[in-house]
């Protein structure tokens, strides 16, 4: 019989102030607080950080309708961004709904709206079910409960080793309940890596991120984000970003489209 697991409040959820999740097998709702942690020197606004919240609201509803002992793992996420989230502490409303459930997987979609009700980001997620030895916990560890207000890039410890490479040291702020880097953190970090590669300096915004997950990215290991500029124009750039824990073994492959503002 299908079972419902508790919503896991881990490092990414604490960092981005994601709360109030209400999840069924068909729908999910929740809230994310805005603030200065969404600012970024290269991206201007880290729109990709909304990937954590929308991954949660679209992923947990799949889990809620999944058989006991199985856990949904994302195959891929497509995000489109319409506008910047605010930085003033106002909430973003999150909603997710099931598109279809099939043998071994599901497709779901999500929307983030601002305080005025305007849509600022959308997500389509496709996931498949894997055997899981247990379900994640339902609370973050105490040392994570007081999140700083510094930018996400700083909190995650993202460092530029070369213009086309960012590294992220092991941190509980990146981990999901299974010990892998949260899929939304890979969206966010891939966006920031792309912005660094083109030296955006706040002059570009992310229009879309299309990311495929090919193997788990282990949060207890260093993660490297390697960028390749596929196209660079005056108004539009396209960057391919590959995350990995070890050279030659990709964890995720993202195509990031950046548009000049």
């Amino acid at each position: 019989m299908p079972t419902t697991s508790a919503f896991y409040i881990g490092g990414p959820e604490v960092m981005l102030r994601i709360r109030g999740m209400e999840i069924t097998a068909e729908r999910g709702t929740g809230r994310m607080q805005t603030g200065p942690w969404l600012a970024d020197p290269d991206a201007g606004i880290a729109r990709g950080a909304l990937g954590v919240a929308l991954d949660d609201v679209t992923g947990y509803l799949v889990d809620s309708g999944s058989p006991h002992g199985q856990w949904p793992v994302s195959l891929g996420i497509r995000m489109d961004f319409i506008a910047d989230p605010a930085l003033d502490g106002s909430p973003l409303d999150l909603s997710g709904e099931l598109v279809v459930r099939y043998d071994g997987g599901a497709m779901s979609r999500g929307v983030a709206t601002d305080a005025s009700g305007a849509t600022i980001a959308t997500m389509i997620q496709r996931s498949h079910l894997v055997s899981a030895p247990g379900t994640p916990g339902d609370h973050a560890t105490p040392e994570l409960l007081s999140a700083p207000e510094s930018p996400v890039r700083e909190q995650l410890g993202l460092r530029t080793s070369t213009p086309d490479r960012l590294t992220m040291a092991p941190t509980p702020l990146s981990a999901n309940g299974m010990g892998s880097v949260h899929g939304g953190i890979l969206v966010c970090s891939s966006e920031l890596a792309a912005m660094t590669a083109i030296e955006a300096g706040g002059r570009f915004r992310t229009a879309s991120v299309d990311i495929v997950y090919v193997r788990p990215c282990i949060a207890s290991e260093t993660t490297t984000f390697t960028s390749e500029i596929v196209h660079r124009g005056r108004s539009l750039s396209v960057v391919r970003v590959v995350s990995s824990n070890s050279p030659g073994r990709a964890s995720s492959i993202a195509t990031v489209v950046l548009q000049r503002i």
Side-chain angles (χ1 to χ4, degrees):
M1 294 292 292
T3 59
T4 301
S5 67
F7 174 64
Y8 176 73
I9 302 173
E13 287 77 21
V14 171
M15 179 174 63
L16 293 167
R17 284 71 168 177
I18 299 168
R19 293 289 187 273
M21 286 287 182
E22 295 184 5
I23 306 291
T24 71
E26 299 291 330
R27 297 186 180 277
T29 59
R31 280 196 161 187
M32 171 179 162
Q33 183 184 343
T34 63
W37 46 89
L38 296 177
D40 187 79
D42 275 328
I45 302 290
R47 292 180 171 186
L50 275 63
V52 175
L54 287 178
D55 185 10
D56 283 348
V57 80
T58 59
Y60 272 94
L61 65 86
V62 175
D63 176 55
S64 291
S66 298
H68 179 74
Q70 292 191 302
W71 177 255
V73 175
S74 181
L75 291 171
I77 282 173
R78 163 77 187 205
M79 290 197 71
D80 287 281
F81 301 94
I82 296 91
D84 288 337
L87 300 177
D88 60 4
S90 59
L92 300 178
D93 287 315
L94 315 167
S95 63
E97 64 177 354
L98 183 71
V99 176
V100 62
R101 198 181 296 273
Y102 51 87
D103 287 345
M107 180 180 289
S108 51
R109 60 187 167 212
V111 176
T113 57
D114 66 14
S116 73
T119 296
I120 63 169
T122 65
M123 173 184 283
I124 292 287
Q125 176 165 193
R126 187 161 188 156
S127 55
H128 69 129
L129 300 178
V130 299
S131 296
T135 56
D138 58 357
H139 294 288
T141 53
E143 63 268 21
L144 294 178
L145 293 178
S146 297
E149 296 194 354
S150 53
V152 167
R153 182 188 294 259
E154 182 178 327
Q155 291 191 55
L156 291 175
L158 289 166
R159 299 288 181 264
T160 305
S161 52
T162 62
D164 65 348
R165 184 167 296 180
L166 290 187
T167 59
M168 180 172 67
T171 170
L173 291 174
S174 75
N176 64 19
M178 296 299 180
S180 298
V181 177
H182 193 295
I185 293 293
L186 291 175
V187 170
C188 177
S189 299
S190 295
E191 172 197 42
L192 299 182
M195 289 288 188
T196 298
I198 68 165
E199 299 178 319
R203 299 182 298 273
F204 285 75
R205 290 292 188 272
T206 304
S208 65
V209 178
D210 203 331
I211 189 167
V212 178
Y213 302 98
V214 295
R215 63 170 53 84
C217 189
I218 308 305
S220 60
E221 299 178 12
T222 296
T223 303
T224 300
F225 299 86
T226 304
S227 300
E228 175 191 0
I229 299 174
V230 178
H231 170 78
R232 184 166 191 168
R234 287 187 297 178
S235 61
L236 191 74
S237 292
V238 181
V239 185
R240 180 177 182 264
V241 182
V242 178
S243 76
S244 62
N245 289 136
S246 57
R249 291 180 59 82
S251 294
S252 66
I253 304 167
T255 300
V256 185
V257 178
L258 310 168
Q259 192 168 20
R260 184 180 287 273
I261 57 174

